[in-house]
Amino acid sequence: IENMNTVLDDNCTLCLPNGERIKLNPTTMRMLFEVQDLAVASPATVSRCGMVYIALAELGWRPSVRTWCDQALPAALPNLAPEYRQFIYELFD
């Protein structure tokens, strides 16, 4: 993860081991890292990341489906009425 520091800071540039540099657009691209632990991460890396820990057993699947119904579904189907979004959400039960 230390190689990702230049992506995580304001430069948003991915520096590959072969020396190639790829400029990334922060408005159209988001990165999500899932790590087991931060045992080898430097303070610089940790300070660039927002850390959230929630045990999967406590979170469950409902928040992900609710977010999808509230955000991605209206973006894909802009004319879909809110009551239909709720109906689709309830189909997951």
Side-chain angles (χ1 to χ4, degrees):
I1 191 134
E2 289 301 314
N3 294 336
M4 301 300 289
N5 278 345
T6 56
V7 173
L8 299 172
D9 65 14
D10 292 337
N11 293 329
C12 296
T13 303
L14 176 61
C15 298
L16 300 176
N18 66 0
E20 186 178 353
R21 298 169 59 105
I22 302 171
K23 182 74 174 161
L24 303 173
N25 185 340
T27 58
T28 60
M29 192 203 116
R30 298 283 185 259
M31 297 178 101
L32 176 67
F33 300 98
E34 183 177 347
V35 296
Q36 184 170 345
D37 60 51
L38 296 172
V40 296
S42 72
T45 299
V46 173
S47 69
R48 288 178 168 91
C49 297
M51 304 292 168
V52 176
Y53 175 77
I54 301 173
L56 184 59
E58 294 184 28
L59 184 62
W61 57 269
R62 291 185 194 281
S64 297
V65 173
R66 170 55 66 196
T67 300
W68 176 78
C69 284
D70 291 344
Q71 295 178 8
L73 192 57
L77 302 169
N79 295 330
L80 186 67
E83 58 269 15
Y84 290 121
R85 285 194 315 235
Q86 182 62 31
F87 175 74
I88 291 170
Y89 175 72
E90 291 170 1
L91 289 174
F92 285 87
D93 282 330

Coordinates of all heavy atoms in Angstrom, one line a residue:
I1 N 0.8 -1.2 0.0 CA 0.0 0.0 0.0 C 0.9 1.3 0.0 O 0.4 2.3 -0.4 CB -1.0 0.0 1.2 CG1 -2.0 1.1 1.0 CG2 -0.3 0.1 2.5 CD1 -3.4 0.8 1.2
E2 N 2.1 1.2 0.4 CA 3.0 2.3 0.4 C 3.2 2.9 -1.0 O 3.3 4.1 -1.1 CB 4.3 2.0 1.1 CG 4.3 1.7 2.5 CD 3.8 2.9 3.3 OE1 4.2 4.1 3.1 OE2 2.9 2.7 4.2
N3 N 3.1 2.1 -2.0 CA 3.3 2.6 -3.4 C 2.1 3.4 -3.8 O 2.1 4.1 -4.8 CB 3.5 1.4 -4.3 CG 4.8 0.7 -4.1 OD1 5.7 1.3 -3.5 ND2 4.8 -0.5 -4.5
M4 N 1.0 3.4 -3.0 CA -0.2 4.1 -3.4 C -0.2 5.6 -2.8 O -1.2 6.3 -3.0 CB -1.4 3.4 -2.9 CG -1.6 2.0 -3.4 SD -1.7 2.0 -5.2 CE -3.3 2.6 -5.4
N5 N 0.8 6.0 -2.1 CA 0.8 7.3 -1.4 C 0.6 8.4 -2.4 O -0.1 9.4 -2.1 CB 2.1 7.5 -0.7 CG 2.1 6.9 0.7 OD1 1.0 6.5 1.2 ND2 3.2 6.7 1.3
T6 N 1.2 8.4 -3.6 CA 1.0 9.4 -4.6 C -0.4 9.5 -5.1 O -0.8 10.5 -5.6 CB 2.1 9.3 -5.7 OG1 1.9 8.1 -6.4 CG2 3.5 9.5 -5.2
V7 N -1.1 8.3 -5.1 CA -2.5 8.3 -5.6 C -3.3 8.9 -4.5 O -4.3 9.6 -4.8 CB -2.9 6.9 -5.9 CG1 -4.4 6.8 -6.2 CG2 -2.1 6.3 -7.1
L8 N -3.0 8.7 -3.3 CA -3.8 9.1 -2.1 C -3.7 10.6 -1.8 O -4.5 11.2 -1.2 CB -3.5 8.3 -0.9 CG -3.8 6.8 -1.1 CD1 -3.3 6.0 0.2 CD2 -5.3 6.5 -1.3
D9 N -2.6 11.2 -2.2 CA -2.4 12.6 -1.9 C -3.0 13.5 -3.0 O -3.7 13.0 -3.9 CB -0.9 13.0 -1.6 CG 0.0 12.8 -2.8 OD1 -0.5 12.7 -3.9 OD2 1.2 12.8 -2.6
D10 N -2.7 14.8 -3.0 CA -3.3 15.7 -3.9 C -2.9 15.5 -5.4 O -3.5 16.0 -6.3 CB -3.1 17.2 -3.5 CG -3.8 17.5 -2.2 OD1 -4.8 16.9 -1.9 OD2 -3.4 18.4 -1.5
N11 N -1.7 14.9 -5.6 CA -1.2 14.6 -6.9 C -2.1 13.7 -7.8 O -2.2 13.8 -9.0 CB 0.2 14.1 -6.9 CG 1.2 15.1 -6.4 OD1 1.0 16.3 -6.5 ND2 2.2 14.6 -5.7
C12 N -2.7 12.7 -7.1 CA -3.5 11.7 -7.8 C -2.8 11.1 -8.9 O -3.4 10.9 -10.0 CB -4.9 12.3 -8.2 SG -5.9 12.8 -6.8
T13 N -1.5 10.7 -8.7 CA -0.7 10.1 -9.8 C -0.3 8.8 -9.3 O 0.3 8.6 -8.3 CB 0.5 11.0 -10.1 OG1 0.1 12.3 -10.4 CG2 1.3 10.4 -11.2
L14 N -0.6 7.8 -10.1 CA -0.1 6.4 -9.8 C 1.2 6.2 -10.4 O 1.4 6.3 -11.6 CB -1.1 5.4 -10.4 CG -0.8 3.9 -10.3 CD1 -0.7 3.5 -8.8 CD2 -1.8 3.1 -11.0
C15 N 2.2 5.9 -9.6 CA 3.6 5.7 -10.0 C 3.9 4.2 -10.0 O 3.9 3.5 -9.0 CB 4.6 6.4 -9.1 SG 4.4 8.2 -9.1
L16 N 4.0 3.6 -11.2 CA 4.3 2.2 -11.3 C 5.7 1.8 -11.1 O 6.6 2.7 -11.2 CB 3.8 1.7 -12.7 CG 2.3 2.0 -13.1 CD1 2.1 1.6 -14.5 CD2 1.4 1.2 -12.1
P17 N 6.0 0.6 -10.7 CA 7.4 0.2 -10.5 C 8.3 0.4 -11.7 O 9.5 0.6 -11.5 CB 7.3 -1.3 -10.1 CG 5.9 -1.5 -9.6 CD 5.1 -0.5 -10.4
N18 N 7.8 0.4 -12.9 CA 8.6 0.5 -14.1 C 8.9 2.0 -14.4 O 9.5 2.3 -15.4 CB 8.0 -0.1 -15.3 CG 6.7 0.5 -15.7 OD1 6.2 1.5 -15.1 ND2 6.1 0.0 -16.8
G19 N 8.4 2.9 -13.5 CA 8.7 4.3 -13.7 C 7.6 5.1 -14.4 O 7.6 6.3 -14.5
E20 N 6.6 4.4 -15.0 CA 5.5 5.0 -15.7 C 4.6 5.7 -14.6 O 4.4 5.2 -13.5 CB 4.7 3.9 -16.4 CG 3.6 4.5 -17.3 CD 2.8 3.4 -18.0 OE1 3.3 2.3 -18.0 OE2 1.8 3.8 -18.7
R21 N 4.1 6.9 -15.0 CA 3.2 7.6 -14.1 C 1.9 7.8 -14.8 O 1.8 8.2 -16.0 CB 3.8 9.0 -13.8 CG 5.2 8.9 -13.1 CD 5.9 10.2 -13.0 NE 5.1 11.2 -12.4 CZ 5.3 11.7 -11.1 NH1 6.3 11.2 -10.4 NH2 4.5 12.6 -10.6
I22 N 0.8 7.5 -14.1 CA -0.5 7.6 -14.7 C -1.3 8.6 -13.8 O -1.5 8.4 -12.6 CB -1.3 6.3 -14.6 CG1 -0.5 5.2 -15.4 CG2 -2.7 6.4 -15.2 CD1 -1.0 3.8 -15.3
K23 N -1.8 9.7 -14.5 CA -2.5 10.7 -13.8 C -4.0 10.2 -13.7 O -4.6 9.8 -14.7 CB -2.5 12.0 -14.5 CG -3.2 13.2 -13.9 CD -2.4 13.7 -12.7 CE -3.1 14.9 -12.1 NZ -2.8 15.2 -10.8
L24 N -4.6 10.3 -12.5 CA -5.9 9.8 -12.3 C -6.8 11.0 -12.0 O -6.4 12.0 -11.4 CB -6.0 8.9 -11.1 CG -5.1 7.6 -11.2 CD1 -5.1 6.8 -10.0 CD2 -5.5 6.8 -12.4
N25 N -8.1 10.9 -12.4 CA -9.0 12.0 -12.2 C -9.8 11.8 -10.9 O -10.6 10.9 -10.8 CB -10.0 12.1 -13.4 CG -10.9 13.3 -13.3 OD1 -11.1 13.9 -12.2 ND2 -11.5 13.6 -14.4
P26 N -9.6 12.7 -9.9 CA -10.2 12.4 -8.6 C -11.8 12.6 -8.6 O -12.4 12.2 -7.7 CB -9.6 13.4 -7.6 CG -9.1 14.5 -8.5 CD -8.7 13.8 -9.8
T27 N -12.3 13.3 -9.6 CA -13.7 13.5 -9.6 C -14.5 12.3 -10.2 O -15.7 12.2 -10.0 CB -14.1 14.8 -10.4 OG1 -13.6 14.7 -11.7 CG2 -13.5 16.0 -9.7
T28 N -13.8 11.5 -11.0 CA -14.5 10.4 -11.7 C -14.0 9.1 -11.2 O -14.5 8.0 -11.6 CB -14.3 10.5 -13.2 OG1 -12.9 10.4 -13.5 CG2 -14.9 11.7 -13.8
M29 N -13.1 9.0 -10.3 CA -12.5 7.8 -9.8 C -12.4 7.8 -8.3 O -12.0 8.7 -7.7 CB -11.1 7.6 -10.4 CG -10.6 6.2 -10.2 SD -8.8 6.2 -10.3 CE -8.4 5.7 -8.6
R30 N -12.8 6.7 -7.7 CA -12.7 6.5 -6.3 C -12.0 5.1 -6.0 O -12.2 4.2 -6.8 CB -14.1 6.4 -5.6 CG -14.9 7.7 -5.8 CD -14.3 8.8 -4.8 NE -15.1 10.0 -4.8 CZ -14.8 11.1 -5.5 NH1 -13.7 11.1 -6.2 NH2 -15.5 12.1 -5.5
M31 N -11.3 5.0 -4.9 CA -10.6 3.8 -4.6 C -11.0 3.4 -3.2 O -11.2 4.2 -2.3 CB -9.1 4.0 -4.6 CG -8.5 4.3 -6.0 SD -6.8 4.6 -5.9 CE -6.2 3.1 -6.6
L32 N -11.2 2.1 -3.1 CA -11.6 1.5 -1.8 C -10.6 0.3 -1.6 O -10.5 -0.5 -2.4 CB -13.0 1.0 -1.8 CG -13.5 0.3 -0.6 CD1 -13.6 1.3 0.6 CD2 -14.9 -0.3 -0.8
F33 N -9.9 0.4 -0.4 CA -9.0 -0.7 -0.1 C -9.6 -1.4 1.1 O -10.1 -0.9 2.0 CB -7.6 -0.1 0.4 CG -7.0 0.7 -0.7 CD1 -7.0 2.1 -0.7 CD2 -6.2 0.1 -1.7 CE1 -6.4 2.8 -1.6 CE2 -5.6 0.9 -2.6 CZ -5.7 2.2 -2.6
E34 N -9.5 -2.7 1.0 CA -9.8 -3.6 2.2 C -8.6 -4.3 2.6 O -8.0 -5.1 1.8 CB -10.9 -4.5 1.8 CG -11.4 -5.4 3.0 CD -12.6 -6.3 2.6 OE1 -13.2 -6.1 1.6 OE2 -12.8 -7.2 3.4
V35 N -8.1 -4.1 3.8 CA -6.9 -4.7 4.3 C -7.2 -5.5 5.5 O -8.1 -5.2 6.3 CB -5.8 -3.7 4.5 CG1 -5.4 -3.0 3.2 CG2 -6.2 -2.6 5.5
Q36 N -6.4 -6.5 5.8 CA -6.6 -7.3 7.0 C -6.0 -6.5 8.2 O -6.7 -6.5 9.2 CB -5.8 -8.6 6.9 CG -6.1 -9.5 8.1 CD -5.5 -10.9 7.8 OE1 -5.2 -11.3 6.7 NE2 -5.4 -11.6 8.9
D37 N -4.9 -5.8 8.0 CA -4.4 -5.0 9.1 C -3.5 -3.9 8.6 O -3.2 -3.9 7.4 CB -3.6 -5.8 10.2 CG -2.5 -6.6 9.6 OD1 -1.6 -5.9 8.9 OD2 -2.4 -7.8 9.8
L38 N -3.0 -3.0 9.4 CA -2.2 -1.9 9.0 C -0.8 -2.1 9.6 O -0.1 -1.1 9.8 CB -2.8 -0.6 9.4 CG -4.1 -0.3 8.7 CD1 -4.7 1.0 9.3 CD2 -3.9 -0.1 7.2
A39 N -0.3 -3.3 9.8 CA 0.9 -3.6 10.5 C 2.1 -3.0 9.8 O 3.1 -2.6 10.4 CB 1.1 -5.1 10.6
V40 N 2.1 -2.9 8.4 CA 3.2 -2.4 7.7 C 3.0 -1.1 7.1 O 3.8 -0.6 6.3 CB 3.7 -3.4 6.6 CG1 4.2 -4.7 7.2 CG2 2.6 -3.7 5.6
A41 N 1.9 -0.4 7.4 CA 1.6 0.9 6.8 C 2.3 2.0 7.6 O 2.4 1.9 8.8 CB 0.1 1.1 6.9
S42 N 2.8 2.9 6.9 CA 3.5 4.1 7.5 C 2.5 5.1 8.0 O 1.3 5.1 7.6 CB 4.4 4.7 6.5 OG 3.7 5.4 5.6
P43 N 2.8 6.0 8.9 CA 1.9 7.0 9.4 C 1.5 7.9 8.2 O 0.3 8.4 8.2 CB 2.8 7.8 10.3 CG 3.8 6.8 10.9 CD 4.1 5.9 9.7
A44 N 2.3 8.1 7.2 CA 1.9 8.9 6.0 C 0.8 8.2 5.3 O -0.2 8.9 4.9 CB 3.1 9.0 5.1
T45 N 0.8 6.9 5.1 CA -0.3 6.2 4.4 C -1.6 6.3 5.3 O -2.6 6.6 4.8 CB 0.1 4.8 4.2 OG1 1.2 4.7 3.3 CG2 -1.0 4.0 3.5
V46 N -1.4 6.0 6.5 CA -2.6 6.0 7.4 C -3.3 7.4 7.4 O -4.5 7.5 7.4 CB -2.2 5.6 8.8 CG1 -3.4 5.7 9.8 CG2 -1.8 4.1 8.8
S47 N -2.4 8.5 7.4 CA -3.0 9.8 7.5 C -3.7 10.2 6.2 O -4.6 11.1 6.2 CB -1.9 10.8 7.8 OG -1.0 11.0 6.7
R48 N -3.4 9.5 5.1 CA -4.1 9.8 3.8 C -5.4 9.1 3.6 O -6.2 9.3 2.7 CB -3.2 9.5 2.6 CG -2.0 10.4 2.5 CD -1.1 9.9 1.3 NE -0.1 10.9 1.0 CZ 1.1 11.0 1.5 NH1 1.5 10.1 2.4 NH2 1.9 11.9 1.0
C49 N -5.7 8.1 4.5 CA -6.8 7.3 4.3 C -7.8 7.5 5.4 O -7.5 7.8 6.6 CB -6.4 5.8 4.4 SG -5.3 5.2 3.1
G50 N -9.1 7.4 5.1 CA -10.1 7.4 6.1 C -10.4 6.0 6.5 O -10.6 5.1 5.7
M51 N -10.3 5.7 7.8 CA -10.4 4.3 8.3 C -11.7 4.1 8.9 O -12.2 4.9 9.8 CB -9.3 4.1 9.3 CG -7.9 4.3 8.9 SD -7.5 3.1 7.6 CE -6.0 3.8 7.0
V52 N -12.4 3.1 8.5 CA -13.7 2.7 9.1 C -13.6 1.2 9.4 O -13.2 0.4 8.5 CB -14.8 3.0 8.1 CG1 -16.1 2.5 8.7 CG2 -14.9 4.4 7.8
Y53 N -13.9 0.8 10.6 CA -14.0 -0.6 10.9 C -15.4 -1.0 11.4 O -15.8 -0.4 12.4 CB -13.0 -1.1 11.9 CG -13.1 -2.5 12.3 CD1 -12.7 -3.5 11.5 CD2 -13.8 -2.8 13.5 CE1 -12.9 -4.8 11.8 CE2 -14.0 -4.2 13.8 CZ -13.5 -5.2 13.0 OH -13.7 -6.5 13.3
I54 N -16.0 -1.9 10.7 CA -17.3 -2.4 11.2 C -17.3 -3.9 11.0 O -17.0 -4.3 9.9 CB -18.5 -1.7 10.4 CG1 -18.5 -0.2 10.6 CG2 -19.8 -2.3 10.9 CD1 -19.5 0.5 9.7
A55 N -17.6 -4.6 12.0 CA -17.6 -6.1 11.9 C -18.8 -6.4 10.9 O -19.9 -5.9 11.1 CB -17.9 -6.7 13.3
L56 N -18.5 -7.3 10.0 CA -19.5 -7.7 9.0 C -20.7 -8.3 9.6 O -21.8 -8.0 9.2 CB -18.9 -8.6 8.0 CG -19.7 -9.1 6.8 CD1 -20.2 -7.9 6.0 CD2 -19.0 -10.0 6.0
A57 N -20.5 -9.0 10.7 CA -21.7 -9.6 11.4 C -22.6 -8.6 11.9 O -23.8 -8.8 12.0 CB -21.2 -10.5 12.5
E58 N -22.1 -7.4 12.3 CA -23.0 -6.4 12.8 C -23.6 -5.5 11.7 O -24.7 -5.0 11.9 CB -22.2 -5.5 13.8 CG -21.8 -6.2 15.0 CD -21.1 -5.4 16.0 OE1 -21.4 -4.2 16.0 OE2 -20.3 -5.9 16.8
L59 N -22.9 -5.4 10.6 CA -23.4 -4.5 9.5 C -24.5 -5.2 8.7 O -25.6 -4.7 8.4 CB -22.3 -4.1 8.6 CG -22.6 -3.2 7.5 CD1 -23.1 -1.8 8.1 CD2 -21.4 -2.9 6.6
G60 N -24.2 -6.4 8.2 CA -25.2 -7.1 7.4 C -25.3 -6.6 6.0 O -24.5 -5.7 5.6
W61 N -26.2 -7.0 5.2 CA -26.4 -6.6 3.8 C -27.3 -5.5 3.6 O -27.3 -4.8 2.5 CB -26.8 -7.9 3.0 CG -28.1 -8.5 3.5 CD1 -28.2 -9.5 4.4 CD2 -29.4 -8.1 3.1 NE1 -29.6 -9.7 4.6 CE2 -30.3 -8.9 3.8 CE3 -29.9 -7.1 2.2 CZ2 -31.7 -8.8 3.6 CZ3 -31.3 -7.0 2.0 CH2 -32.2 -7.9 2.8
R62 N -28.2 -5.2 4.5 CA -29.2 -4.2 4.3 C -28.7 -2.8 3.9 O -29.2 -2.1 3.0 CB -30.2 -4.1 5.5 CG -31.0 -5.3 5.6 CD -32.0 -5.2 6.7 NE -32.6 -6.4 7.1 CZ -33.6 -7.0 6.4 NH1 -34.1 -6.4 5.3 NH2 -34.1 -8.2 6.8
P63 N -27.7 -2.3 4.6 CA -27.2 -0.9 4.3 C -26.7 -0.8 2.8 O -26.9 0.2 2.1 CB -26.0 -0.7 5.2 CG -26.4 -1.5 6.4 CD -27.0 -2.8 5.8
S64 N -26.1 -1.9 2.3 CA -25.6 -1.8 0.9 C -26.8 -1.8 -0.1 O -26.8 -1.0 -1.0 CB -24.7 -3.0 0.6 OG -23.6 -3.0 1.4
V65 N -27.8 -2.6 0.2 CA -29.0 -2.6 -0.7 C -29.7 -1.3 -0.6 O -30.2 -0.7 -1.6 CB -29.9 -3.8 -0.3 CG1 -31.2 -3.7 -1.1 CG2 -29.1 -5.1 -0.6
R66 N -29.8 -0.7 0.6 CA -30.5 0.6 0.8 C -29.8 1.7 0.0 O -30.4 2.5 -0.7 CB -30.6 0.9 2.3 CG -31.1 2.3 2.6 CD -32.4 2.7 2.0 NE -33.5 1.9 2.5 CZ -34.7 1.8 1.9 NH1 -35.0 2.4 0.8 NH2 -35.7 1.1 2.5
T67 N -28.5 1.7 0.1 CA -27.7 2.7 -0.6 C -27.9 2.5 -2.1 O -28.1 3.5 -2.9 CB -26.2 2.6 -0.3 OG1 -26.1 2.8 1.1 CG2 -25.4 3.6 -1.0
W68 N -27.9 1.3 -2.6 CA -28.1 1.0 -4.0 C -29.5 1.5 -4.4 O -29.6 2.1 -5.5 CB -28.0 -0.5 -4.3 CG -28.3 -0.9 -5.7 CD1 -27.4 -0.7 -6.8 CD2 -29.5 -1.4 -6.2 NE1 -28.1 -1.2 -7.9 CE2 -29.3 -1.6 -7.6 CE3 -30.7 -1.8 -5.6 CZ2 -30.3 -2.2 -8.4 CZ3 -31.7 -2.4 -6.4 CH2 -31.5 -2.6 -7.7
C69 N -30.5 1.2 -3.6 CA -31.9 1.6 -4.0 C -32.0 3.2 -4.0 O -32.8 3.7 -4.7 CB -32.9 1.0 -3.0 SG -33.2 -0.7 -3.3
D70 N -31.3 3.8 -3.1 CA -31.4 5.3 -3.0 C -30.6 6.1 -3.9 O -30.9 7.2 -4.3 CB -31.1 5.7 -1.5 CG -32.1 5.3 -0.5 OD1 -33.3 4.9 -1.0 OD2 -31.9 5.3 0.7
Q71 N -29.5 5.5 -4.4 CA -28.5 6.2 -5.2 C -28.4 5.6 -6.7 O -28.6 6.3 -7.6 CB -27.2 6.3 -4.6 CG -27.2 7.1 -3.3 CD -25.8 7.1 -2.6 OE1 -24.8 6.7 -3.1 NE2 -25.8 7.6 -1.4
A72 N -27.9 4.4 -6.7 CA -27.7 3.8 -8.1 C -28.9 3.5 -8.9 O -28.9 3.8 -10.1 CB -26.9 2.5 -7.9
L73 N -30.0 3.1 -8.2 CA -31.2 2.8 -8.9 C -31.8 4.0 -9.5 O -32.2 4.0 -10.7 CB -32.2 2.1 -8.0 CG -33.4 1.4 -8.6 CD1 -33.0 0.4 -9.7 CD2 -34.2 0.7 -7.5
P74 N -31.9 5.1 -8.8 CA -32.5 6.4 -9.5 C -31.6 6.9 -10.6 O -32.1 7.5 -11.5 CB -32.6 7.4 -8.3 CG -32.6 6.6 -7.1 CD -31.8 5.3 -7.4
A75 N -30.3 6.7 -10.4 CA -29.4 7.1 -11.5 C -29.6 6.3 -12.8 O -29.6 6.8 -13.9 CB -27.9 7.0 -11.1
A76 N -29.8 5.0 -12.6 CA -30.1 4.1 -13.8 C -31.5 4.3 -14.3 O -31.7 4.2 -15.5 CB -29.8 2.7 -13.4
L77 N -32.4 4.5 -13.5 CA -33.8 4.7 -13.9 C -34.4 6.0 -13.3 O -35.1 6.0 -12.3 CB -34.7 3.5 -13.4 CG -34.2 2.1 -13.8 CD1 -34.9 1.0 -13.1 CD2 -34.4 1.9 -15.3
P78 N -34.1 7.1 -13.9 CA -34.5 8.4 -13.3 C -36.0 8.6 -13.2 O -36.4 9.4 -12.3 CB -33.8 9.4 -14.3 CG -33.4 8.7 -15.5 CD -33.4 7.2 -15.1
N79 N -36.8 7.9 -14.0 CA -38.2 8.1 -13.9 C -38.9 7.2 -12.9 O -40.1 7.2 -12.8 CB -38.8 8.0 -15.3 CG -38.4 9.0 -16.2 OD1 -38.1 10.2 -15.8 ND2 -38.3 8.7 -17.5
L80 N -38.2 6.4 -12.2 CA -38.7 5.4 -11.3 C -39.2 6.2 -10.0 O -38.5 6.9 -9.4 CB -37.7 4.4 -10.9 CG -38.1 3.3 -10.0 CD1 -39.1 2.4 -10.8 CD2 -36.9 2.4 -9.5
A81 N -40.5 6.0 -9.7 CA -41.1 6.6 -8.5 C -40.5 6.1 -7.2 O -40.1 4.9 -7.2 CB -42.6 6.4 -8.6
P82 N -40.5 6.9 -6.2 CA -39.9 6.5 -4.9 C -40.6 5.3 -4.3 O -39.9 4.4 -3.7 CB -40.1 7.7 -4.0 CG -40.1 8.9 -4.9 CD -40.8 8.3 -6.2
E83 N -41.9 5.1 -4.5 CA -42.6 4.0 -3.9 C -42.1 2.7 -4.6 O -42.1 1.6 -4.0 CB -44.1 4.1 -4.0 CG -44.6 4.3 -5.4 CD -44.8 5.8 -5.8 OE1 -44.2 6.7 -5.2 OE2 -45.5 6.0 -6.8
Y84 N -41.7 2.7 -5.9 CA -41.2 1.6 -6.5 C -39.8 1.2 -6.0 O -39.4 0.0 -5.9 CB -41.2 1.7 -8.0 CG -42.5 1.7 -8.6 CD1 -43.0 2.8 -9.4 CD2 -43.4 0.6 -8.5 CE1 -44.3 2.8 -9.9 CE2 -44.6 0.6 -9.0 CZ -45.1 1.7 -9.8 OH -46.3 1.7 -10.3
R85 N -39.0 2.2 -5.7 CA -37.7 2.0 -5.0 C -37.9 1.2 -3.7 O -37.2 0.2 -3.4 CB -36.9 3.3 -4.8 CG -36.3 3.9 -6.0 CD -35.3 4.9 -5.7 NE -35.8 5.8 -4.7 CZ -35.8 7.1 -4.8 NH1 -35.5 7.7 -5.9 NH2 -36.2 7.9 -3.8
Q86 N -38.9 1.6 -2.9 CA -39.1 1.0 -1.7 C -39.6 -0.5 -1.9 O -39.2 -1.4 -1.2 CB -40.2 1.7 -0.9 CG -40.5 1.1 0.5 CD -39.3 1.1 1.4 OE1 -38.4 1.9 1.4 NE2 -39.3 0.1 2.3
F87 N -40.5 -0.6 -2.9 CA -40.9 -2.0 -3.3 C -39.8 -2.9 -3.7 O -39.7 -4.0 -3.2 CB -42.0 -1.9 -4.4 CG -42.4 -3.2 -4.9 CD1 -43.3 -4.0 -4.2 CD2 -41.9 -3.7 -6.1 CE1 -43.7 -5.3 -4.6 CE2 -42.3 -5.0 -6.6 CZ -43.2 -5.7 -5.8
I88 N -38.9 -2.4 -4.5 CA -37.7 -3.2 -4.9 C -36.8 -3.5 -3.7 O -36.4 -4.6 -3.5 CB -36.9 -2.4 -6.0 CG1 -37.7 -2.4 -7.3 CG2 -35.5 -3.1 -6.2 CD1 -37.1 -1.5 -8.3
Y89 N -36.6 -2.6 -2.8 CA -35.9 -2.8 -1.5 C -36.5 -4.0 -0.7 O -35.8 -4.9 -0.2 CB -35.8 -1.6 -0.7 CG -35.1 -1.8 0.6 CD1 -33.7 -2.0 0.7 CD2 -35.8 -1.8 1.8 CE1 -33.1 -2.2 1.9 CE2 -35.2 -2.0 3.0 CZ -33.8 -2.2 3.1 OH -33.2 -2.4 4.3
E90 N -37.8 -3.9 -0.6 CA -38.5 -5.0 0.2 C -38.5 -6.3 -0.5 O -38.7 -7.3 0.2 CB -40.0 -4.5 0.4 CG -40.1 -3.3 1.3 CD -41.5 -2.7 1.4 OE1 -42.4 -3.2 0.7 OE2 -41.6 -1.7 2.1
L91 N -38.2 -6.4 -1.8 CA -38.1 -7.7 -2.5 C -36.9 -8.5 -2.0 O -36.8 -9.7 -2.1 CB -37.9 -7.5 -4.0 CG -39.2 -7.0 -4.7 CD1 -38.9 -6.8 -6.2 CD2 -40.3 -8.1 -4.6
F92 N -35.9 -7.8 -1.4 CA -34.7 -8.4 -0.8 C -35.0 -9.2 0.5 O -34.1 -9.9 0.9 CB -33.6 -7.4 -0.7 CG -32.9 -7.0 -2.0 CD1 -33.4 -6.0 -2.7 CD2 -31.8 -7.7 -2.4 CE1 -32.9 -5.6 -3.9 CE2 -31.2 -7.4 -3.6 CZ -31.8 -6.3 -4.4
D93 N -36.1 -9.0 1.1 CA -36.4 -9.7 2.3 C -36.9 -11.1 2.1 O -37.4 -11.5 1.1 CB -37.5 -8.9 3.1 CG -36.9 -7.7 3.9 OD1 -35.7 -7.8 4.2 OD2 -37.6 -6.8 4.0

